Amino acid sequence: GDSVTQMEGPVTLSEEACLTINCTYTATGYPSLFWYVQYPGEGLQLLLKATKADDKGSNKGFEATYRKETTSFHLEKGSVQVSDSAVYFCALFSGGYNKLIFGAGTRLAVHP
Amino acid sequence: NAGVTQTPKFQVLKTGQSMTLQCAQDMNHNSMYWYRQDPGMGLRLIYYSASEGTTDKGEVPNGYNVSRLNKREFSLRLESAAPSQTSVYFCASSESRGQGAETQYFGPGTRLLVL
């Protein structure tokens, strides 16, 4: 079945460091891909998305590119801030199952 | 515009007790969802409702029932709580009928502890 695999955390970085959180997927067809973010004590909110191969989603300085050849959708940011500390979830929309499928989540901690 | 609201925020139950988690959205969305979040497992879909009057099982429906009371409200019921149902529960909604790349909007969650 369709699935999402993302790197285990926690990821600990100093402020202004570069961030990459890896995400790969298995799916039939061409799913839409998402990154959701969960700040402490809150629900998930959409960070960015991409709906077809080579699309780049971006928001709040974060970017991710839909790579069909490597079935990947890695999340990147050039300079993280303390306020970026959160749990990040990669997800795909499975047309076959008509639902969002989430990865396990990666916790990011950014220190001053 | 409150978005998606959930009550209660936190609940402790004893094994065998029942309870209902409430969810409401004010965005006039057609589709609503219930997920559970467990450490290391991401979010798993329990039930969803593509439109008012319809409900469907998700990945982990056993031990739960749902009611789509109207377009705004979607409740999740635990008839006889078990320790394995200790989790954080999230309600979400989306505009259309669960198709394609639409965004899901999440509530703040209900933390449930079953002793």
Side-chain angles (χ1 to χ4, degrees):
Chain A
D2 296 356
S3 65
V4 174
T5 302
Q6 56 183 110
M7 62 188 287
E8 288 188 25
V11 174
T12 304
L13 295 173
S14 298
E15 207 164 23
E16 299 184 2
C18 294
L19 169 71
T20 300
I21 300 178
N22 291 335
C23 172
T24 57
Y25 67 89
T26 301
T28 53
Y30 305 101
S32 298
L33 301 174
F34 305 80
W35 278 101
Y36 278 82
V37 58
Q38 183 181 27
Y39 297 104
E42 298 183 11
L44 280 71
Q45 55 185 274
L46 180 69
L47 181 59
L48 53 85
K49 68 181 182 185
T51 60
K52 60 183 188 297
D54 300 324
D55 264 4
K56 178 185 283 188
S58 61
N59 186 24
K60 299 182 181 181
F62 290 90
E63 292 183 340
T65 301
Y66 190 143
R67 301 283 188 203
K68 177 169 161 287
E69 63 276 11
T70 54
T71 62
S72 65
F73 192 55
H74 304 322
L75 183 67
E76 298 176 325
K77 187 175 186 183
S79 176
V80 295
Q81 305 299 313
V82 172
S83 57
D84 294 326
S85 298
V87 181
Y88 294 81
F89 292 91
C90 186
L92 67 83
F93 185 84
S94 171
Y97 296 96
N98 195 27
K99 64 177 184 178
L100 269 180
I101 295 174
F102 287 88
T106 301
R107 182 175 300 276
L108 170 66
V110 181
H111 299 289
Chain B
N1 189 338
V4 179
T5 57
Q6 293 182 235
T7 55
K9 284 187 166 51
F10 180 71
Q11 183 73 46
V12 179
L13 291 178
K14 294 181 180 177
T15 298
Q17 287 185 317
S18 63
M19 78 162 294
T20 300
L21 283 65
Q22 306 287 353
C23 173
Q25 51 90 10
D26 62 2
M27 296 174 282
N28 200 36
H29 285 171
N30 285 307
S31 298
M32 297 185 74
Y33 313 82
W34 276 106
Y35 292 91
R36 60 178 288 173
Q37 182 183 28
D38 301 295
M41 301 188 74
L43 275 73
R44 293 181 292 168
L45 184 65
I46 305 171
Y47 271 94
Y48 67 100
S49 170
S51 61
E52 186 178 354
T54 69
T55 60
D56 288 286
K57 294 179 180 179
E59 188 181 355
V60 287
N62 291 346
Y64 305 95
N65 285 301
V66 290
S67 294
R68 184 74 182 267
L69 303 169
N70 48 54
K71 193 170 186 179
R72 288 188 65 249
E73 298 172 288
F74 188 39
S75 62
L76 178 72
R77 183 159 178 84
L78 287 70
E79 290 291 351
S80 179
S84 61
Q85 294 178 305
T86 293
S87 187
V88 181
Y89 292 85
F90 288 100
C91 178
S93 70
S94 64
E95 187 172 348
S96 64
R97 293 175 184 271
Q99 300 294 329
E102 59 180 12
T103 299
Q104 290 190 14
Y105 296 83
F106 286 79
T110 294
R111 189 173 296 274
L112 176 65
L113 174 62
V114 182
L115 301 175

